[in-house]
Amino acid sequence: MARRLVIVLVLVIVVIGLAQLFLPRIVAQGVEVGLAGMLGGEPEVRLRAYPALRLLLGRIDELTVKTHLVDAGALMIDSFSSTLEDLAINLRALLSDRALVVERVGRQTATIRISQDSLRRYLAATVPRLQHPQVFLEQGRVRLRGELPLAGRRLTVAIDGVFGFPPDDRSRVIFTPTRLQYDEFAVEADRLPEFLNLLGGPELFIDLARFPMPLLGTEVRMEPGWLIITGEAAE
């Protein structure tokens, strides 16, 4: 009897050890496939669950995701990284359909990085009247440059502004112009909206609520060459 008990205990320890060794990687591979369908690219996933057998219930202590070149409509996000804690996923959907279904997130932080070249391509695709667009991201501001055909002339347009959150709405990051100049003439502040309407195209903004795991922004930074947005899980 004692010998059988020892054998059972040894088998249990072996099973737990193998689960701790292999289960996280198996589930992580499934999560990578599910995220690839949601975000595109080739996401890198690391997860931690202890004991690993909790993964059989879809429970994850911490999940870290990093991916590049996320297609957000006309705008390409250069990199997206996120850490999720106290996570519950639908394991059946993950294993049978390769679909990542998040049922609960205790805490999530995320960082989005968008290059000035990605913003330039976005302007070229969505604001066709602004020809030869250029985007310069500097410390604390963004500068847009281009040419606007108007009344048989070709105006050189320069727009300075900032990215930030609109009042009482952290689900969107919008561009707010602070200065506009065409050729050698500065446009008065109260006429900025009127002049910007001449450019056509959509309002330049990033909708964090439409991410696969919706976010609320916590900070927007403009650094040389980069727009950096940090966020947390939307409630």
Side-chain angles (χ1 to χ4, degrees):
M1 183 67 180
R3 184 179 178 183
R4 289 181 180 178
L5 183 58
V6 170
I7 293 173
V8 169
L9 288 175
V10 170
L11 288 175
V12 169
I13 292 172
V14 169
V15 169
I16 293 174
L18 290 174
Q20 199 67 42
L21 186 62
F22 292 110
L23 261 181
R25 188 58 206 153
I26 293 171
V27 175
Q29 287 175 344
V31 171
E32 286 175 354
V33 173
L35 282 172
M38 297 167 66
L39 299 174
E42 298 181 358
E44 302 173 9
V45 173
R46 290 186 302 166
L47 62 82
R48 178 173 57 83
Y50 189 85
L53 289 174
R54 295 178 69 240
L55 291 170
L56 297 177
L57 300 175
R59 302 296 185 265
I60 300 173
D61 294 326
E62 183 178 275
L63 175 70
T64 302
V65 179
K66 294 182 180 179
T67 190
H68 301 279
L69 300 180
V70 179
D71 189 353
L75 178 63
M76 184 65 71
I77 294 173
D78 291 77
S79 71
F80 174 83
S81 60
S82 182
T83 298
L84 302 93
E85 300 174 359
D86 190 18
L87 181 69
I89 63 174
N90 187 317
L91 194 62
R92 177 179 296 179
L94 184 68
L95 298 178
S96 61
D97 302 326
R98 295 296 188 180
L100 180 60
V101 178
V102 178
E103 298 177 339
R104 187 192 72 243
V105 178
R107 182 173 181 268
Q108 178 186 7
T109 57
T111 301
I112 299 165
R113 294 174 61 89
I114 303 171
S115 68
Q116 62 186 24
D117 193 50
S118 290
L119 288 171
R120 180 193 62 78
R121 290 194 297 268
Y122 175 82
L123 285 179
T126 61
V127 190
R129 294 202 65 190
L130 185 66
Q131 298 179 359
H132 311 296
Q134 294 178 294
V135 178
F136 304 97
L137 281 162
E138 302 174 352
Q139 195 70 43
R141 70 171 180 172
V142 59
R143 305 170 66 196
L144 311 180
R145 302 291 183 266
E147 296 179 352
L148 174 65
L150 184 66
R153 298 179 56 194
R154 188 176 294 272
L155 304 180
T156 299
V157 179
I159 307 171
D160 293 351
V162 295
F163 281 101
F165 305 117
D168 302 320
D169 183 6
R170 291 191 294 128
S171 66
R172 296 195 308 157
V173 176
I174 64 171
F175 172 72
T176 301
T178 56
R179 180 176 177 273
L180 190 149
Q181 182 174 316
Y182 64 95
D183 289 345
E184 299 301 323
F185 302 95
V187 177
E188 296 179 7
D190 59 351
R191 297 195 62 189
L192 273 177
E194 175 187 341
F195 194 92
L196 290 173
N197 285 336
L198 294 175
L199 297 178
E203 179 187 10
L204 183 54
F205 74 94
I206 300 160
D207 192 349
L208 303 178
R210 296 186 64 181
F211 272 61
M213 289 170 280
L215 297 170
L216 289 176
T218 55
E219 183 183 23
V220 179
R221 302 198 311 274
M222 286 150 285
E223 298 183 354
W226 292 95
L227 172 64
I228 302 171
I229 306 164
T230 58
E232 61 187 8
E235 295 181 358

